[in-house]
Amino acid sequence: MTALLTITNLKKHFPIRKGFFGRQVGAVRALDGVNLTIEAGETLGLVGESGCGKSTLGRVVLRLLPATEGQVHFEDTNVLTADNKTLKKLRRDLQIVFQNPYASLDPRMNVFDIVAEPLLVHRKLSKQDLQARVFELLDLVGLNKDMAYRYPHQFSGGQRQRIGIARALALHPRLIVADEPVSALDVSVQAQILNLLLDLKKEFKLTYLFIAHNLDVIRYISDRIAVMYLGKLVELGKSEEVYKRPLHPYTKALISAAPVPDPNFDRSKRIVLQGDLPSPANPPPGCTFHTRCPMAEERCKVEEPPLREIQPGRFSACHFAEKLL
Ligand code: SF4
């Protein structure tokens, strides 16, 4: 397999300013040194609690937000330093599906114009070819061409997300960042959208960076899982292996917190995390998870554990990961 996207020491710090002159008094460390490779054709699921930095990662990778430090390479091109001409080319290869299909579509544009917009910017198509391509895209995502002249408010949440996916597919992208694409949808519709994304991946050999807070959703769609905590990756590995035997106490707690549809399930075995996610403006020293970790020892308060390979392809940022094998 070849790396399609390589993220190296990526940091995004949002300055905290105070006073009349806007003096910087601190920074929110949304991303704090992320290293990650996404192989061509794989779905990398990025999971973590709200506020852990996962959506920021998706936006910085696509240069929708500027990075503070680090590098993002799409094949050999550095996305973060690309000039306007190269960036325009990259925009065709890299697309995003947003979390909220209610807010991400312009309510004043009809579906035809929404899906046609990237084609008008990036391709010179005749009127007939443009119409044919828009209808083809709507068909691909399971929408009827008769719906093309309706407005977003006339659609259900699932249908709006299909419109967002059609728009993302318009330019034949190679990598799609799907940022919580099903979390705003009813459970019954979630599976339809996930299956649509899986079908499209197969048909167009797509690569996904799939961001979600729901581990079951991530497990269903991902080849590998990356777990994020306070702007850093704490675990990485093949989806089934991570789910069966997590090598970080945080992943273990996330899995244990997932609802189990079994009335006989012994809920006393659940790991309940104490407290909330600490503020990324003032992360704890040492292992940032030590304030909530049931396995924490004195060493964890002072020594930051690096993300290291515990088994081939299995990475964990815990001093005591071997105890979980
Ligand atoms: Fe818990 Fe210590 Fe491992 Fe951090 S390094 S996850 S605090 S045991």
Side-chain angles (χ1 to χ4, degrees):
M1 277 209 164
T2 44
L4 192 64
L5 194 81
T6 309
I7 300 168
T8 314
N9 191 30
L10 192 62
K11 294 185 183 176
K12 175 65 191 174
H13 296 173
F14 293 97
I16 303 170
R17 300 188 188 279
K18 256 192 182 167
F20 185 71
F21 295 106
R23 192 168 54 87
Q24 186 173 341
V25 292
V28 174
R29 296 156 176 260
L31 297 176
D32 210 11
V34 174
N35 293 293
L36 185 62
T37 302
I38 303 180
E39 311 288 351
E42 82 166 332
T43 298
L44 191 289
L46 183 62
V47 71
E49 288 165 285
S50 296
C52 72
K54 54 193 190 306
S55 289
T56 304
L57 180 75
R59 280 166 171 70
V60 173
V61 159
L62 297 181
R63 222 170 114 176
L64 300 177
L65 276 176
T68 305
E69 205 180 306
Q71 295 187 346
V72 176
H73 279 91
F74 180 75
E75 293 180 325
D76 294 330
T77 309
N78 189 339
V79 179
L80 304 185
T81 56
D83 57 25
N84 285 345
K85 198 173 157 208
T86 313
L87 195 59
K88 193 173 175 194
K89 220 166 127 232
L90 281 170
R91 293 263 176 258
R92 293 177 211 151
D93 286 327
L94 305 168
Q95 286 289 322
I96 185 165
V97 174
F98 289 101
Q99 170 179 7
N100 189 343
Y102 297 89
S104 61
L105 304 176
D106 188 334
R108 295 161 303 180
M109 289 170 81
N110 66 30
V111 170
F112 186 95
D113 291 339
I114 288 170
V115 177
E117 195 178 35
L119 294 163
L120 290 169
V121 173
H122 289 270
R123 302 247 193 270
K124 286 191 177 74
L125 295 179
S126 67
K127 215 173 161 191
Q128 283 98 327
D129 288 348
L130 181 70
Q131 189 185 58
R133 178 70 181 142
V134 172
F135 289 167
E136 182 194 11
L137 286 161
L138 292 181
D139 185 49
L140 272 174
V141 298
L143 294 174
N144 196 310
K145 67 178 179 184
D146 297 340
M147 297 171 168
Y149 300 99
R150 295 188 200 161
Y151 288 82
H153 73 271
Q154 295 173 287
F155 292 88
S156 67
Q159 287 173 323
R160 283 183 223 191
Q161 198 53 295
R162 287 175 191 269
I163 298 166
I165 294 169
R167 184 186 156 98
L169 287 175
L171 300 171
H172 301 286
R174 294 167 65 201
L175 184 136
I176 292 182
V177 174
D179 183 9
E180 300 260 17
V182 297
S183 59
L185 304 176
D186 290 342
V187 176
S188 56
V189 183
Q190 288 187 1
Q192 294 172 19
I193 298 295
L194 290 176
N195 288 335
L196 172 66
L197 288 168
L198 284 172
D199 289 346
L200 293 170
K201 181 189 165 187
K202 225 191 224 169
E203 189 166 347
F204 299 108
K205 297 187 172 50
L206 293 167
T207 303
Y208 291 137
L209 169 57
F210 193 98
I211 299 167
H213 63 273
N214 182 330
L215 247 168
D216 283 336
V217 167
I218 286 278
R219 181 190 189 187
Y220 182 68
I221 200 156
S222 309
D223 300 305
R224 285 191 304 149
I225 296 178
V227 184
M228 197 167 204
Y229 188 79
L230 274 187
K232 292 179 186 196
L233 294 189
V234 295
E235 177 150 13
L236 175 67
K238 280 199 182 134
S239 178
E240 277 313 304
E241 288 176 14
V242 171
Y243 208 88
K244 266 194 204 132
R245 184 169 295 172
L247 295 182
H248 193 285
Y250 178 58
T251 319
K252 218 173 158 187
L254 281 183
I255 292 170
S256 138
V260 179
D262 175 2
N264 299 319
F265 175 72
D266 182 0
R267 281 163 177 80
S268 65
K269 285 186 186 154
R270 281 200 195 287
I271 303 168
V272 181
L273 285 180
Q274 302 301 318
D276 294 326
L277 193 71
S279 166
N282 188 20
C287 174
T288 51
F289 187 53
H290 84 254
T291 52
R292 305 167 80 194
C293 180
M295 281 172 57
E297 296 188 14
E298 278 309 304
R299 177 184 173 193
C300 308
K301 294 180 186 169
V302 288
E303 196 182 323
E304 184 181 350
L307 187 69
R308 59 196 172 91
E309 194 163 19
I310 311 297
Q311 283 184 332
R314 295 291 314 274
F315 296 81
S316 168
C318 173
H319 293 308
F320 310 112
E322 283 78 1
K323 286 189 189 173
L324 298 171
L325 281 172

